[in-house]
Structure formats: C-alpha cells, structure tokens
Amino acid sequence: MLKDPKGQRVIVSGLLIIIALFLYGSDYGFSFTPGFYLRIADVFMLAAAFTAGYPIAVNAAQALRYKVVGIDALVTLAVIGAIYISEYWEAAAVTFLFMLGNYLESRALDKTRSAIKSLLDLVPDTARVLRNGEELLIGPEEVIPGEIVIVRPGEKIPVDGIVAEGTAYVNQAAITGESMPAAREENQGVFSGTIVESGYLKIRADKVGEDTTFARILEMVEEAQDKKAKTQKFLEKFARWYTPGIVVLSAVIFLFTRDLPLSLTLLVIACPGALVIATPVSIVAGIGNGARHGVLIKGGETIESIGTVKVIAFDKTGTLTEGKPRVNKIKACNDMNSMDVLHLAASAEMFSEHPLARAIIAEARQVVDKDLFEPAAAEIITGQGLKALVDERRVIIGNRRIMAENGLEIGGEIAEYISNEEAAGQTAVIIADADSRQILGVISIADTLREGIVPLIKRLKESGINKIVMLTGDNQRSAAAIARMTGLDDYYAELLPEDKVRVLKEIQARYGTAAMVGDGVNDAPALASADLGIAVGGAGTDVAMETADMILMSDEIDKLSYAIGLSRATVRNMKQNIWFAVAVAVVLLIGVLAKVVFLASGMLVHILSVLIVIVNAIRLLKYQEKRA
C-alpha cells in the first residue's frame, strides 16, 4: 500500500471512476429502471472528484490568501464549472489526472534530486571517541575539537581532522568526486563523510558538526537549489501575470460565446505548469550531478553565467602548476657559498607562508648541516619579497622589484644569469645584503605543471572560450615560459593581488564575461571580482567555499572542462524544456479554440507535458564529458 497521501488519493479516486464507468454501462444492459445506475454512477463520479479535488481546492485557497492565482485555482474553477453543468465525468477525470500528475511529478522530481540524496545518505550518524581511556559511541555533533576519534574499516569519518595514528585507504568521493580511494597516514588530513575502506585511523578532530567540510557542502548544495537563475525568475514573474490573465480571458470568452465548456477547458489547458517547472528541474539535476562528481555549483545564476564566459584567467602557482615549488639551483656571489646562501635565505623566510619560502626552508632543512637562525625582525612586502635581520645581518630577499625599490642595481653577469633562469621557466629569488648593497646569491625555484593542464587548455579552446590568459605575480620571463608550455593566449606577470583585480576589470571591458580560476587562498580578491570565480582544490578551504561561485573540490583541475560542459548542458536542457512547454501550450490553445481538445483530454496532455519536461531534465543526471 502506498504511504504517500497523493498516491492513496489517486488509487481511491481511480477505483471510484472505474466503478462509475461500470455502472454507466450497467444502466444500458441491466437496469429495469432507466437512469437508475446512471444516477448512482454520477454519485461515484462526484465522490471521485471530491476525493482527488479536495487537496487541490485547499491549495488554491491557501495560495489565494497570499494573492497568488496558480494552477490549483484554475483547476478548481474548472471542476466547479463542470459540476455546475453536470459534466461529472469531466470533473472526476480532471481532478484524477491532476492528482495523478502531481504524484508522478513528485516521484520524478525525487529522481532529479537523487544525486543530492545520495550525499545525504553519507552523513555520519555516530562517532567513536576516546575519552578517559575508554571508547564511547556518541553523535558526531557531540565530538569536542581536539578529541581523538577512532574509525575502523567500513565506517564513515565523522569529523574533519588530522590523522594522529594509523594508515588507511579512504574513499573521498563524497568530497572530491575521486573514484579511487586515497591513502592516508599520520599527519595527513581527512574529511567528514568519507569512508575508511581498509585500515584503521585515530583522528584528532579539528572541525565538528556543522563546521565540517561535508556539512558545509550539503548546506551550499541546498542553498544552491534555492538560488534561482535569471530565466527562472523571469518565468515566475510571467506566470504571476499570465495565470490571472487566463482567468480574465476565459471569462471574456464566456461572455461573448456563452460556451461554458470552452471557457472551462481554456482554464485547464492554459495552466503554465510545464513552463514554470522547466528551469528549476534542470538546475536541480545539474547541481546534483556536479555535487556527485566533486563540482560544487552555487546556484542557477552561476550555471547560466558559464554559457556567457568569453575569457578564462588562470592563476599560476597552485592552479596551472602543482603549487609545490622546489629549489633546483643555487648561485652564490661575493665570497658566499651555496649552502651559506641557502641557510641565510631560509632563516630570513622562517615565518613566511609563501610557497617559494616554504620551498627554500624545506631545501635548507634537507641539505644544510646547521640549524636555521630565527630572524630578529622580518617585514614581508606582498608581491615582492621581504626584509629581515638575521644574525645581525640585514638582508633583502625577493624579486627584481624589491631590489630596485631599495636601490640595488642588478647588472652584468648576475643580470644575464637571472634572465636565462627566468627564460627557462625558473623563478629567481635574489638574496642581497642591505648594508653592503651586494647581491649574495640567486636561488632558482620551479614548480611543475599540473597533470592534464595542456589538454585541458586545448579542450577549453575547442569548447568556444575566446581567450585564455594567466595572471601571476611571477616575473615576465618565467610567466612567458609557462604560457608557452601550456598553450595560453596571453599572460600578465609581476602582479600584486590588487593588480589582478585591475587586470580582470580590463579583460572584462575588452572581451566580455570573464571567469577567474584560482586555488581559493591568495586569489580571493580576484575570484570575488570576476564574473565567475572558480576555485580549484577547495576541499576544506574556507576562503574557496565563501568566495568562489564554482568549486572543484579536488585538486584535479581536469574537472574544469567537465564543470563547464555540465553547466552548458544544463542551460541547453533548460531551453529545450522551455521551448517544448511553449509549443505544447500553443498547440493546446489552438485545439481548444478549434473544439478538438476538451477538459479531460486537455488535462491529460498538460500532465504529460510536465512529465516529459522532468524526464528530459533527468537525463542530466547521466551527463558525462565527451573527450576525443
């Protein structure tokens, strides 16, 4: 037995109609009193109309309280009119078909939300914590940050945290969309909602409850479904005026023709049900597909924006490249040796979080035999480098700009060496003595290109993106080398964060709608100022979650073309639904005026059109990127 009240009403009203139809036939074959069975059949038809029509009338009344004339009101008026003119079969058929359509529609809509429901099924319901030497099973929201959480094979990880002990293969598909389990060991991060497939972990909880990455993904996916596309907003405004207009038109037609069945039929078939649902059902399916594949799209307006993008701007470090730069070469000058240069630079950079600084420190700790000095003072100059006092020696470390601004000229052999390194795609970090005004050395650092970035750029160009550029704080020669290797159309180098925002505005003015792709950490201003901000590797990154319009949860930048293809497929699906809904409405209107479409048949076609729109949207759940 169906538990859904709609399903139950459909069954009851359907059985009443079948009994009534049997009685209609019986009146002609078995009745000794002409019209006896006919009158009983009418009672069953009225009962069927009331059973299916009561909730429709209630919904209509509730909507009218808020001055909304919707499809429920039109159907209710049509049914009352049909009963008034004794067309009981029409009244029963219309209410039955409408309720059947609502039931089938809700079931079909559940299908479009299946990808989102599969995420909800992954919400952890218990957590095993270690308290006072004992293992306790509690709710995930009861875990206290800093506590040790134990996760065994087959169990869901209930918190975001760092592995304190153990090794395991973790299925992270719910967060990143990656199908292959990822190996996790001590000091590596894990996310709530992921599953330990094999192994055993003790996790130190960092984020719990609603603060976890998984909880925020669910929240944003739910919010995204409510963020309406411009097309959807327009259609809803149109429906608010269109529906009352149909009521007026039906009244006018009745006044001129005195044909009540014609007016009632017009009320039913002119309902814009398929048109109103055409856009939101596609958006829900598209967002659900993306969420299942590790692509978080923040609403219908973002989906529509993808189709208008003319230019894509990429950040370099951490986006086009792996974001893990390594020291490749050290040149020492002025009586310094390479180890002394590296030791001095690493000591000065000790408190810097810049990727280049991390690379210098990592190299020094690996190859230098003495401990690093802690700088007595350090001043970081964004986009240039830093000044520091190390072992009573004032040093300047950074690019050409910081040297020039501090009156240090670079010429001769050193200038030529730096130019050659930059031309080879290396980032040259210059180390100078602020007091003696001498260059002490140059550290060459390079980052490797992300796997798949070259074919990605090619696919983006083939998809119709007019121009693809790079925005970077790196030097001109290094930027040119990266642009050449990746096949970019242009590049903008030596940019400070505010410069990236300025260049983006210039690009928007010159080429049109611009998307910015960054790692979501130091690219926040650019991501926010672009028409469409896309963050790569946003899993667990608060800035990416808040700033970007679209987030690729894993570090697989390869998914960018999938995200763009999915968005465009969603927009195409919306347009197909809209044109189909309009075409059906026009055909039905002509059929009514030509008196070949009647109340019940008009409702049947109307319901079928709604279901076809939903079924078309369901196809988005199976969308897969086609690659040559």
Side-chain angles (χ1 to χ4, degrees):
M1 188 68 179
L2 291 172
K3 294 182 180 180
D4 187 340
K6 288 182 182 177
Q8 292 173 347
R9 286 183 179 274
V10 167
I11 289 175
V12 172
S13 60
L15 289 173
L16 290 171
I17 289 174
I18 290 172
I19 294 171
L21 291 174
F22 176 78
L23 290 171
Y24 280 141
S26 299
D27 189 72
Y28 296 103
F30 305 105
S31 176
F32 294 101
T33 306
F36 175 74
Y37 287 116
L38 186 62
R39 288 190 291 274
I40 297 177
D42 287 343
V43 172
F44 275 94
M45 283 295 184
L46 284 170
F50 178 81
T51 300
Y54 176 74
I56 301 171
V58 170
N59 289 339
Q62 290 175 343
L64 287 172
R65 288 175 57 191
Y66 296 98
K67 300 179 180 179
V68 175
V69 180
I71 183 172
D72 295 279
L74 298 186
V75 171
T76 302
L77 284 174
V79 170
I80 291 172
I83 293 173
Y84 176 75
I85 60 176
S86 300
E87 292 287 349
Y88 305 126
W89 152 248
E90 294 282 2
V94 167
T95 52
F96 169 76
L97 287 171
F98 187 79
M99 185 57 65
L100 175 63
N102 271 352
Y103 173 70
L104 295 176
E105 180 181 327
S106 64
R107 294 293 298 270
L109 283 173
D110 284 344
K111 181 69 175 176
T112 66
R113 297 189 179 98
S114 61
I116 296 169
K117 285 189 173 184
S118 67
L119 286 179
L120 290 171
D121 291 339
L122 291 172
V123 175
D125 48 13
T126 59
R128 184 180 288 103
V129 299
L130 199 60
R131 286 183 182 172
N132 301 320
E134 295 183 10
E135 291 185 16
L136 300 177
L137 271 179
I138 60 175
E141 68 284 351
E142 298 177 66
V143 178
I144 300 170
E147 282 192 310
I148 296 297
V149 177
I150 300 171
V151 187
R152 295 191 172 94
E155 295 181 344
K156 299 171 188 173
I157 296 176
V159 298
D160 285 5
I162 303 296
V163 176
E165 183 182 322
T167 59
Y169 280 96
V170 179
N171 185 332
Q172 299 190 127
I175 301 293
T176 65
E178 297 167 350
S179 57
M180 294 298 293
R184 285 293 176 265
E185 56 187 24
E186 195 170 333
N187 295 324
Q188 290 187 315
V190 292
F191 300 108
S192 170
T194 57
I195 302 170
V196 172
E197 293 200 347
S198 64
Y200 172 89
L201 295 178
K202 286 187 176 181
I203 302 162
R204 183 176 295 103
D206 284 342
K207 295 179 180 178
V208 301
E210 295 181 356
D211 293 330
T212 65
T213 298
F214 187 65
R216 297 187 67 192
I217 289 174
L218 287 177
E219 180 185 353
M220 288 187 174
V221 168
E222 290 170 355
E223 288 177 354
Q225 295 176 76
D226 296 328
K227 291 182 180 178
K228 299 174 182 177
K230 292 179 181 178
T231 303
Q232 183 179 351
K233 292 175 183 176
F234 169 78
L235 290 176
E236 288 179 353
K237 288 180 181 178
F238 169 77
R240 281 201 294 270
W241 290 98
Y242 172 81
T243 306
I246 289 298
V247 175
V248 173
L249 178 61
S250 298
V252 170
I253 288 176
F254 175 73
L255 289 174
F256 280 94
T257 65
R258 295 294 171 178
D259 190 337
L260 186 57
L262 174 66
S263 300
L264 296 177
T265 304
L266 182 63
L267 279 178
V268 171
I269 66 94
C271 298
L275 190 60
V276 170
I277 202 174
T279 298
V281 71
S282 297
I283 289 172
V284 168
I287 289 172
N289 181 304
R292 191 173 58 197
H293 289 88
V295 177
L296 183 57
I297 304 171
K298 291 187 178 179
E301 195 164 344
T302 297
I303 289 176
E304 283 189 323
S305 297
I306 292 287
T308 64
V309 169
K310 304 297 182 185
V311 58
I312 295 180
F314 284 89
D315 172 52
K316 182 177 81 73
T317 304
T319 305
L320 291 175
T321 64
E322 292 285 354
K324 299 174 183 177
R326 296 179 180 177
V327 173
N328 289 330
K329 194 186 300 183
I330 303 170
K331 180 175 178 61
C333 312
N334 294 307
D335 299 325
M336 294 282 286
N337 63 52
S338 59
M339 290 299 100
D340 288 339
V341 170
L342 182 60
H343 181 265
L344 183 63
S347 297
E349 299 273 19
M350 186 177 289
F351 299 125
S352 174
E353 293 297 325
H354 194 281
L356 297 182
R358 298 292 93 192
I360 292 171
I361 294 168
E363 181 71 10
R365 285 178 172 159
Q366 186 173 350
V367 302
V368 177
D369 292 333
K370 52 185 176 180
D371 294 334
L372 300 180
F373 293 124
E374 186 173 311
E379 178 189 359
I380 296 174
I381 300 159
T382 305
Q384 296 184 26
L386 60 79
K387 299 176 183 178
L389 180 63
V390 180
D391 194 24
E392 299 184 356
R393 186 172 197 170
R394 292 196 307 125
V395 294
I396 302 172
I397 302 176
N399 55 26
R400 294 170 185 260
R401 184 184 296 183
I402 195 172
M403 299 300 159
E405 291 191 0
N406 284 275
L408 284 157
E409 293 185 7
I410 304 172
E413 180 187 343
I414 292 297
E416 184 180 352
Y417 174 83
I418 292 173
S419 296
N420 291 337
E421 290 297 292
E422 291 174 345
Q426 305 283 325
T427 299
V429 178
I430 308 165
I431 299 95
D433 189 303
D435 295 317
S436 66
R437 323 296 292 171
Q438 289 183 329
I439 303 298
L440 303 178
V442 179
I443 299 176
S444 298
I445 301 174
D447 198 356
T448 54
L449 289 178
R450 277 186 184 271
E451 185 179 352
I453 191 65
V454 175
L456 170 65
I457 298 299
K458 184 179 179 182
R459 287 199 305 275
L460 291 176
K461 288 182 177 180
E462 291 172 350
S463 72
I465 301 297
N466 295 343
K467 199 170 185 67
I468 303 176
V469 302
M470 174 176 65
L471 310 183
T472 178
D474 212 342
N475 61 79
Q476 290 284 346
R477 290 182 179 83
S478 179
I482 295 293
R484 184 174 61 254
M485 287 187 283
T486 53
L488 298 177
D489 296 315
D490 203 353
Y491 65 89
Y492 300 81
E494 299 180 13
L495 300 178
L496 300 174
E498 57 267 30
D499 293 328
K500 289 184 180 181
V501 174
R502 173 182 54 78
V503 171
L504 263 176
K505 290 180 179 178
E506 293 173 1
I507 289 173
Q508 289 167 324
R510 189 181 309 168
Y511 300 107
T513 308
M516 175 69 194
V517 185
D519 60 14
V521 181
N522 51 11
D523 300 310
L527 289 173
S529 62
D531 296 298
L532 183 72
I534 303 173
V536 181
T541 306
D542 292 341
V543 176
M545 291 279 195
E546 298 300 330
T547 309
D549 301 297
M550 179 185 289
I551 305 165
L552 310 184
M553 299 305 293
S554 73
D555 283 326
E556 296 178 34
I557 197 170
D558 188 64
K559 287 187 177 179
L560 177 59
S561 59
Y562 178 89
I564 291 176
L566 172 63
S567 295
R568 288 180 171 175
T570 303
V571 171
R572 284 196 302 271
N573 195 277
M574 286 163 47
K575 290 179 179 178
Q576 291 166 0
N577 284 346
I578 290 169
W579 282 113
F580 173 76
V582 170
V584 169
V586 170
V587 170
L588 281 176
L589 182 59
I590 294 172
V592 171
L593 296 178
K595 295 191 175 181
V596 295
V597 174
F598 304 101
L599 201 58
S601 58
M603 174 56 72
L604 179 62
V605 173
H606 167 78
I607 289 169
L608 289 175
S609 69
V610 171
L611 292 177
I612 288 172
V613 162
I614 295 171
V615 169
N616 185 49
I618 288 174
R619 294 189 305 116
L620 287 170
L621 297 176
K622 298 182 179 180
Y623 170 83
Q624 291 183 343
E625 185 182 13
K626 294 178 182 178
R627 296 186 182 179

